[in-house]
Amino acid sequence: TIIQDDLRQKRRYRRAGAAILFLVDASGSLGVKKQMQTVKGVILELLKDAYHKRDQVGMVIFRRMSAELVLPMTSHVTEAEAALASVPTGGKTPLAHGLVYAKDYLTQIAADSPGMALYLVVVSDGKANVPLAEGGSAQDDVRQIATGLAQMPVERIVLDTEQGRTRFACAKELASALEATYHHIDDIRQRRALDHISAS
């Protein structure tokens, strides 16, 4: 006689992978080209390890008056290299626009791929100077959008690009509003800031 306890079923648990979105300040900030090269290098390194983990990496930049998706989510290094070869830089810092774009993009990924771990890596000095609407406050817009992003099931990281002796700590304020982990851009060069993403 076969009873319920005699039955066995093999179950396979598939790792859903991770979607890592870089939101990068490509405005005319001091040293932005050097910072961009650092970020591009990190993206390509993450992608080299992405195949077996089913991870994907993408990048949105913000500059002048808007945000732009320059690298749709991909797990292919060759696609990333081509897309990142000539990312435009210069202009004002529409950080709020970038955060809105990132929020909408990650919301869509969450809907399309339930169970996927989501990461948002913001690379900026936090000095927003373009409001969402004429006459508004750029910093108030940033705080409001960041507070909304903090409620999403997304692992958030801020990489502060501010340099020089006089610092305004705007990126630290952004990290606080996002409830994000904070690092300076120098940490990424020292291979510390994104270790827990690489190990995910």
Side-chain angles (χ1 to χ4, degrees):
T1 301
I2 299 176
I3 61 175
Q4 184 67 34
D5 288 344
D6 292 327
L7 300 178
R8 297 290 184 269
Q9 180 178 3
K10 182 181 290 186
R11 295 183 180 181
R12 293 186 177 182
Y13 293 90
R14 181 182 182 275
R15 185 183 183 278
I20 306 164
L21 179 65
F22 283 78
L23 177 61
V24 181
D25 185 345
S27 66
S29 302
L30 182 66
V32 66
K33 289 185 178 181
K34 184 177 181 180
Q35 293 157 13
M36 191 68 70
Q37 290 303 316
T38 299
V39 174
K40 289 178 182 179
V42 171
I43 289 175
L44 293 176
E45 277 202 26
L46 287 172
L47 281 173
K48 289 176 183 177
D49 195 40
Y51 178 77
H52 295 291
K53 294 182 178 181
R54 303 185 182 90
D55 292 343
Q56 300 180 57
V57 178
M59 186 167 81
V60 171
I61 63 168
F62 54 94
R63 61 188 287 266
R64 294 185 175 176
M65 303 298 290
S66 63
E68 176 187 358
L69 179 67
V70 294
L71 178 63
M73 284 293 169
T74 182
S75 58
H76 299 287
V77 176
T78 52
E79 289 181 8
E81 288 177 330
L84 298 176
S86 57
V87 174
T89 59
K92 294 184 177 182
T93 310
L95 175 54
H97 294 74
L99 291 171
V100 169
Y101 197 116
K103 183 178 180 180
D104 292 344
Y105 193 58
L106 289 170
T107 297
Q108 187 60 54
I109 292 173
D112 293 342
S113 305
M116 176 169 279
L118 303 178
Y119 291 84
L120 173 63
V121 183
V122 183
V123 185
S124 177
D125 61 10
K127 297 175 185 175
N129 53 26
V130 180
L132 291 174
E134 187 176 352
S137 166
Q139 289 293 346
D140 286 347
D141 288 343
V142 167
R143 281 191 288 270
Q144 182 177 356
I145 302 303
T147 300
L149 266 164
Q151 306 307 310
M152 293 180 63
V154 177
E155 183 76 18
R156 298 166 299 279
I157 300 165
V158 171
L159 294 179
D160 185 356
T161 62
E162 190 171 36
Q163 303 288 339
R165 293 183 179 180
T166 302
R167 301 192 180 187
F168 298 91
C170 294
K172 285 188 175 181
E173 293 179 12
L174 172 62
S176 178
L178 281 170
E179 299 180 15
T181 302
Y182 169 89
H183 293 279
H184 193 270
I185 190 69
D186 291 339
D187 293 338
I188 203 173
R189 297 188 182 113
Q190 296 171 24
R191 310 295 306 141
R192 292 198 303 267
L194 301 181
D195 282 351
H196 65 290
I197 290 182
S198 299
S200 64

